[in-house]
Every structure is written in structure tokens, then in C-alpha cells.
Amino acid sequence: MAGRKWGEHGKMHESMTPYFEKCAELVQQYADVIEQRYARPALVLGIKNFRKKPITMTFVAILSSLAILPILSFVGISIFVIASIIFIAAASAIIACVVAESIIVSIGICTLCSLVLVAVFSTIFFLSVYSVFRFILLVRSNGRSGFSEWAIETRQYLLPTRPVEECEKPGGPNVAIQHWLSDYSQTDDQGDE
């Protein structure tokens, strides 16, 4: 396995080598252009000016070397401040989005919970109203026997009966428990046979 990793690494290295070489050549070309167009002419001009005006150019050189640190500090601090402002703005926007979404989700959850409560109470209310009207109708049409009919009917609606299978074994109990088997367990039983 280690050999395979080295082989893949070697292939990757071989494929990356020409790309790296092209990038190095490009950087070298840009460095040559900067040197030929800007650096050498500036050096020649500086040497020429030092010969013509030595005191003025000495002052400019000392001032430039002393001013480079404050200028770089200013640029660095400015970049840091701008980056900090951008970061704080992005972080604030993300936090605002999270807070707004949390509020919206909380309102949605509260709405759904209250709808569940309304549905539960409405169901209980309508079942009670139906049961009372059914009781009144049965007692009115059947008299006292209507009460027992209403009790049986209500019990059947509220407590549904379970299907019961009889056991096929001779002498076994009259009630058998129905087991639900998944397709997986049935294929295991068939595969064992």
C-alpha cells in the first residue's frame, strides 16, 4: 500500500513538474521586465543625481529610509482596519441572519404546537357533541334500551376491537397471537429450508 502511495505521489509529482516550471518561467519573465524597465533605470538615475546634487540626494535617501517604516505601518494598519471592518460586517450579517431565522423557526414551532392543541380540543369537542346527539337520538327512539346501545356503540368507537385468530392446533387455546413478520425474516426462513 505504501508503494502504491509513492507511485501515485510520483505520478502527481511528474504531472505537476511542467506546471511548476511554466510558473517559474513566468515569474522570472516578470522579474526581468521589472528589473529592466524600472529598477535599473531608477538606479542609474539615482547614481546620476548623486553625482550632480550630492547633498539633496543624501537628504532624499535619509528621508526615504526613515519614512519607509511609517509608510509601511500606515499601509499595514489601513489594510488591517479595512479587513477588520469587512470581517465584523460579515460576522454581524451572519449573526443577524441566524437570529432572524431562529425567531422565525420559534414562531413556526409555537404556531404548530398551538395548532396541535386546537386540533386535540376540537376533536374532543366534536366527539363529545356527536356522542351527546347520538345518545339523545338513541334514547328518544329506543327508550331505556337506547342507553345500552349508546354505551356499546361508544365503546366500539373509542376502544376498537383487535382481530383474533383461532389456533389450529388440536387442544390448543382458542386465542392465538398474530405475529407480523417482515419480508426479511420470511426470506430467511425460506432460505433455511
Side-chain angles (χ1 to χ4, degrees):
M1 184 169 173
R4 192 173 102 205
K5 284 186 179 178
W6 279 106
E8 291 173 1
H9 179 68
K11 289 178 185 175
M12 183 179 67
H13 180 66
E14 290 173 6
S15 68
M16 294 296 288
T17 302
Y19 178 73
F20 176 73
E21 289 174 358
K22 287 179 185 176
C23 288
E25 286 177 24
L26 189 64
V27 169
Q28 184 66 36
Q29 288 174 357
Y30 280 122
D32 289 341
V33 167
I34 290 173
E35 181 183 354
Q36 295 297 325
R37 287 189 184 171
Y38 305 109
R40 285 191 185 198
L43 257 148
V44 170
L45 183 65
I47 291 171
K48 196 186 286 185
N49 284 334
F50 259 113
R51 287 187 185 146
K52 288 182 184 176
K53 304 173 189 174
I55 295 175
T56 307
M57 286 309 293
T58 304
F59 172 75
V60 170
I62 291 172
L63 179 64
S64 298
S65 57
L66 290 175
I68 191 102
L69 185 62
I71 290 172
L72 291 177
S73 297
F74 172 76
V75 170
I77 290 172
S78 298
I79 291 172
F80 174 74
V81 167
I82 290 170
S84 298
I85 290 172
I86 290 171
F87 174 75
I88 290 171
S92 299
I94 290 171
I95 290 171
C97 288
V98 167
V99 168
E101 287 297 320
S102 298
I103 291 171
I104 291 170
V105 166
S106 299
I107 291 171
I109 289 173
C110 289
T111 302
L112 290 175
C113 288
S114 50
L115 288 176
V116 166
L117 289 175
V118 167
V120 166
F121 288 125
S122 298
T123 303
I124 291 172
F125 173 74
F126 287 123
L127 284 176
S128 300
V129 168
Y130 172 77
S131 180
V132 167
F133 279 131
R134 188 73 180 143
F135 174 74
I136 292 171
L137 287 175
L138 288 174
V139 169
R140 192 172 199 196
S141 63
N142 297 338
R144 288 186 174 220
S145 65
F147 176 74
S148 61
E149 287 178 31
W150 175 80
I152 292 170
E153 188 178 292
T154 304
R155 202 174 301 132
Q156 286 176 351
Y157 283 128
L158 296 178
L159 303 172
T161 57
R162 297 183 188 149
V164 177
E165 294 181 2
E166 293 188 22
C167 186
E168 295 180 7
K169 294 182 182 178
N174 290 337
V175 178
I177 299 174
Q178 180 179 9
H179 294 283
W180 296 98
L181 299 174
S182 66
D183 293 335
Y184 178 73
S185 61
Q186 289 175 353
T187 57
D188 283 347
D189 292 341
Q190 294 170 354
D192 292 340
E193 293 175 0

